[in-house]
Amino acid sequence: MSIAKAHTGEVSSSARWRDYLELCKPRVVALMLFTAFVGMLLAAPGHVGWNPLIFGTLGIALMAGSAAAINHLADRHIDALMTRTQFRPLPSGHMDTRSVLVFAAIMGMLGMSILILRVNMLTAILTLVSLLGYAVVYTLYLKHATPQNIVIGGAAGATPPLLGWTAVTGQIDSGALLLFLIIFTWTPPHFWALALYRKDEYARVGVPMLPVTHGDDYTRLQITLYTVLLSLVTVLPYLTGMSGIVYLAAALILDGIFLYYVLALQISRSRPLAIKTFVYSIVYLMLIFTALLVDHYLPLLNVM
Amino acid sequence: MVEAGAHRRFVLLLRLTLVMGFAVIVLGSFVRLSNAGLGCPDWPGCYGHLVGVPENASEIESANQDYPQRIVETHKAWKEVIHRYFAGTLGLLALFLVVLSVIFRRRPGQPVRLPVAILVLIGFQALLGMWTVTLQLKPVIVMAHLLGGFATLALLWWLNLSISKWPRITIRRSLGGIRRWANLAAAVLVVQIALGGWTSANYAALACPDFPTCHQQWWPDTDFAEGFILWRGTGINYEFGVLESPARTAIHLTHRIGALVALLIVGALALILRFRQAIPSALRGTGSAIVLLLAAQISLGISNVVFYLPLPVAVAHNAVAAMLLLATLTAVYMLKSATLQKPSERFL
């Protein structure tokens, strides 16, 4: 007992800033923050105030980090069983559950305070709902309950541009919902490509991901169908007049490449191609939002 | 030994003819797209000159007197006659091919009928080339001249595939459906090339000056009945087109819709060849080539509209169309000549 305690004490004291950073899933959060940032800049025609840019980003970042830490906490038993995640701070023993909980709580409260005091109530509430949606509804319930887990849970992951938008305008506009819709539709092909690759690990830990429950062929078909849907959704910003021809050109090319990947995946049934598709999907989302941004500021350049 | 030498000579001549055929097509599109198709108002001479064009002041003056309806533009005349010289050379090369194939006719596997067909086709092309000039760019003649050129190149390529040591493949019987799909893709391409020729012949490439919309509309004012009248009588000068805007718009839109159909059908073929399991690697390479050419061709087509028909882009759109057709025909040929393997033989 005392040895175990000493062991835990020793381990948690050895936890370094790297472990805390790891808890926040920095790469995922960075992508989310980028989309939130684009949401902010697209919300207003001209210059966006520094207040929402700085405090909005900070608040959303802290809340997202907190959600990620709670996810680490909730998934620690599964993580220990999967090769990809077995070296995370909790399963590797670098940190104990209590310090993670405290860390998540502090970040969440800090983020919430910043959003309430310096941004606006709507953004604070929406961010909290997203955090709970991801960390509680998705991680604790949906993930283990249904193969539609990431489809429904994707709603929580798709909110950052909406949060960025409301941080600037204080209200939910159609443009913000469109950005939300892009990520919402993007999540299934993105995640299922990874799930195809990691199917065996998911099966071993009993997570009912689509390839585990319905097989690879069905998953590939769903990936293709969702990518077709995504191609249509990403044309909407042009059709509604929110974005111009530059965005459209970029979106059509990016959609074309995405479709090429998923059709190749569909036809070849190759597993290495699944991970390539997954990597491309990340590049795709970054470039789609970059294109939205470039297209948004291009008219300003012409004026000058 | 003699046999091999004969074969090598034939192959060498064929390759040369093939390159020349491609050059004539690209040159022809260049002549048309730089509006030099009527650079010479007569045929086979140019303002009466059998070699060269009127160049010094006195020649130009007498030429202008003889052909008052078309004032000499030396640079256009040169483009036109250079195309004629290249085409003439192609005809001579094709004639040599026929001579060689008749001489070697007893050699096993020596094609004779195909070279003869190519020579006849080139002769017909000369006729169409003449009518292009004398009927003053009548659209149906211009389109037929384009299709004739593509047909010549396609037959030369087919001849090349059938006599060179192109990899013979074996495919599973279950992949037999791909054969029909490849034939369909080739047919779709031919229709789309004809539509492209019709678009150019009627000066409809800029009938929709925007993309993806046309006149800022998804379905603008069109007149399909007028746009697809093939024969409008002779004695009309068709240079720069005679159709009203809605008719040209209809032609342009049809080519765009054709592009979408071609993208789906040829694209599907390419992806299947590229990625389907158990496809022989030679066929896989053809699939990759079709993917690249298709992407290039769609981009060039869109660029034609967006950048207002720059000459190099327009010429490249024609050249890549030819290459895309040849790549697709390669797949058709390989699938056609493939040995079908019964499922039970798969493990032998």
Side-chain angles (χ1 to χ4, degrees):
Chain A
M1 184 70 192
S2 64
I3 294 167
K5 229 177 192 168
H7 183 71
T8 326
E10 183 187 297
V11 159
S12 70
S13 71
S14 78
R16 273 171 291 187
W17 67 273
R18 266 184 194 287
D19 292 312
Y20 283 101
L21 187 66
E22 168 83 16
L23 276 184
C24 297
K25 300 194 174 180
R27 278 170 300 177
V28 178
V29 171
L31 184 59
M32 289 173 123
L33 283 182
F34 175 62
T35 63
F37 182 68
V38 174
M40 289 176 195
L41 296 176
L42 282 158
H47 182 69
V48 177
W50 289 110
N51 195 57
L53 276 183
I54 295 171
F55 292 105
T57 308
L58 190 61
I60 295 168
L62 287 167
M63 296 288 273
S66 169
I70 299 174
N71 173 272
H72 273 263
L73 198 60
D75 274 351
R76 63 189 187 279
H77 300 300
I78 305 180
D79 285 349
L81 296 174
M82 295 182 24
T83 45
R84 180 173 67 100
T85 51
Q86 61 183 337
F87 299 109
R88 283 180 172 177
L90 278 168
S92 68
H94 280 190
M95 294 182 79
D96 60 39
T97 53
R98 209 184 57 185
S99 51
V100 173
L101 195 62
V102 169
F103 178 62
I106 290 175
M107 270 204 302
M109 283 189 285
L110 198 61
M112 198 64 188
S113 313
I114 289 173
L115 290 177
I116 293 174
L117 297 175
R118 298 304 303 263
V119 183
N120 56 50
M121 203 50 160
L122 178 66
T123 308
I125 291 172
L126 285 176
T127 312
L128 183 63
V129 170
S130 308
L131 181 147
L132 294 175
Y134 174 69
V136 179
V137 179
Y138 168 71
T139 306
L140 288 179
Y141 171 67
L142 280 173
K143 188 172 178 179
H144 306 277
T146 159
Q148 292 296 315
N149 46 16
I150 52 108
V151 180
I152 310 167
T159 55
L162 172 70
L163 303 176
W165 190 293
T166 60
V168 171
T169 64
Q171 60 188 31
I172 299 174
D173 300 304
S174 59
L177 292 175
L178 210 48
L179 298 181
F180 168 85
L181 191 62
I182 290 175
I183 304 185
F184 183 65
T185 319
W186 164 86
T187 308
H190 161 73
F191 222 114
W192 283 334
L194 178 71
L196 274 178
Y197 190 71
R198 305 246 180 231
K199 178 187 170 187
D200 300 339
E201 294 192 359
Y202 281 116
R204 205 169 46 200
V205 295
V207 175
M209 294 304 285
L210 196 61
V212 178
T213 59
H214 288 69
D216 290 0
D217 280 335
Y218 186 79
T219 306
R220 280 188 285 261
L221 178 65
Q222 292 296 313
I223 289 175
T224 304
L225 295 178
Y226 266 99
T227 308
V228 170
L229 201 59
L230 177 65
S231 301
L232 298 176
V233 167
T234 47
V235 172
L236 287 177
Y238 172 76
L239 294 181
T240 58
M242 185 170 98
S243 301
I245 195 85
V246 172
Y247 166 75
L248 180 71
L252 287 180
I253 293 169
L254 292 169
D255 286 331
I257 300 172
F258 207 159
L259 283 168
Y260 178 80
Y261 269 105
V262 299
L263 287 174
L265 187 62
Q266 174 103 34
I267 295 167
S268 71
R269 304 173 173 186
S270 130
R271 191 170 263 213
L273 208 52
I275 198 72
K276 281 187 189 165
T277 307
F278 171 75
V279 171
Y280 174 72
S281 72
I282 297 167
V283 175
Y284 169 92
L285 193 69
M286 286 198 296
L287 291 181
I288 281 279
F289 274 78
T290 308
L292 283 166
L293 203 58
V294 169
D295 184 274
H296 183 69
Y297 284 107
L298 225 47
L300 293 180
L301 289 177
N302 285 345
V303 170
M304 297 195 300
Chain B
M1 217 50 223
V2 177
E3 294 277 297
H7 179 71
R8 221 181 50 224
R9 259 178 288 166
F10 187 81
V11 170
L12 207 65
L13 181 62
L14 176 60
R15 296 270 158 82
L16 190 64
T17 316
L18 198 53
V19 171
M20 186 53 94
F22 188 71
V24 170
I25 281 185
V26 175
L27 208 53
S29 72
F30 170 72
V31 170
R32 151 145 207 90
L33 290 162
S34 55
N35 296 314
L38 291 181
C40 307
D42 49 340
W43 195 94
C46 186
Y47 291 94
H49 294 239
L50 268 178
V51 176
V53 304
E55 281 200 292
N56 59 45
S58 68
E59 283 175 351
I60 290 176
E61 198 178 328
S62 76
N64 285 344
Q65 267 168 14
D66 292 346
Y67 299 92
Q69 78 282 11
R70 185 152 290 269
I71 302 299
V72 175
E73 289 173 272
T74 312
H75 65 283
K76 286 190 179 177
W78 268 121
K79 287 174 189 165
E80 170 70 12
V81 296
I82 287 172
H83 176 55
R84 290 183 190 175
Y85 298 155
F86 270 73
T89 313
L90 177 65
L92 283 179
L93 289 172
L95 181 65
F96 290 149
L97 266 184
V98 170
V99 170
L100 274 192
S101 61
V102 170
I103 292 174
F104 300 143
R105 68 187 178 280
R106 305 225 179 274
R107 207 178 66 85
Q110 171 63 50
V112 179
R113 269 184 285 180
L114 199 47
V116 171
I118 291 168
L119 184 64
V120 171
L121 191 57
I122 292 176
F124 187 60
Q125 274 295 89
L127 218 58
L128 283 168
M130 177 185 77
W131 287 332
T132 301
V133 172
T134 58
L135 298 178
Q136 302 182 74
L137 304 182
K138 188 172 182 45
V140 74
I141 302 289
V142 172
M143 183 180 70
H145 195 40
L146 171 93
L147 289 176
F150 274 57
T152 308
L153 186 66
L155 289 187
L156 283 168
W157 182 248
W158 195 268
L159 184 58
N160 181 48
L161 290 172
S162 58
I163 64 158
S164 59
K165 296 200 173 45
W166 204 261
R168 276 305 189 95
I169 55 168
T170 304
I171 56 170
R172 290 186 192 173
R173 191 169 288 276
S174 61
L175 297 177
I178 300 175
R179 275 182 177 179
R180 263 164 302 179
W181 194 263
N183 294 344
L184 175 69
V188 166
L189 274 185
V190 170
V191 172
Q192 176 64 356
I193 287 165
L195 284 170
W198 193 242
T199 304
S200 175
N202 286 286
Y203 297 85
L206 293 176
C208 295
D210 44 337
F211 185 89
T213 50
C214 179
H215 300 290
Q216 313 298 329
Q217 288 167 296
W218 290 105
W219 197 257
D221 191 16
T222 51
D223 188 346
F224 282 89
E226 191 65 24
F228 287 92
I229 292 177
L230 291 180
W231 194 266
R232 264 171 212 286
T234 53
I236 307 166
N237 183 351
Y238 290 95
E239 192 173 17
F240 305 118
V242 295
L243 296 177
E244 300 291 325
S245 173
R248 293 189 200 208
T249 305
I251 295 170
H252 186 110
L253 270 189
T254 312
H255 190 51
R256 280 194 191 182
I257 293 164
L260 195 60
V261 174
L263 174 66
L264 293 176
I265 293 191
V266 183
L269 172 71
L271 287 175
I272 289 169
L273 296 180
R274 178 85 182 71
F275 291 111
R276 183 83 178 260
Q277 279 173 350
I279 292 275
S281 68
L283 204 47
R284 245 179 235 292
T286 310
S288 307
I290 298 175
V291 166
L292 287 176
L293 289 168
L294 190 60
Q297 184 64 350
I298 297 278
S299 314
L300 287 167
I302 294 171
S303 303
N304 269 336
V305 173
V306 175
F307 302 114
Y308 296 97
L309 207 61
L311 186 57
V313 174
V315 172
H317 191 54
N318 181 288
V320 175
M323 291 194 268
L324 185 55
L325 181 66
L326 297 190
T328 307
L329 283 179
T330 308
V332 169
Y333 178 84
M334 289 173 80
L335 287 164
K336 186 174 141 46
S337 59
T339 316
L340 280 190
Q341 190 182 38
K342 291 192 199 82
S344 57
E345 293 170 355
R346 202 181 297 164
F347 303 105
L348 293 181

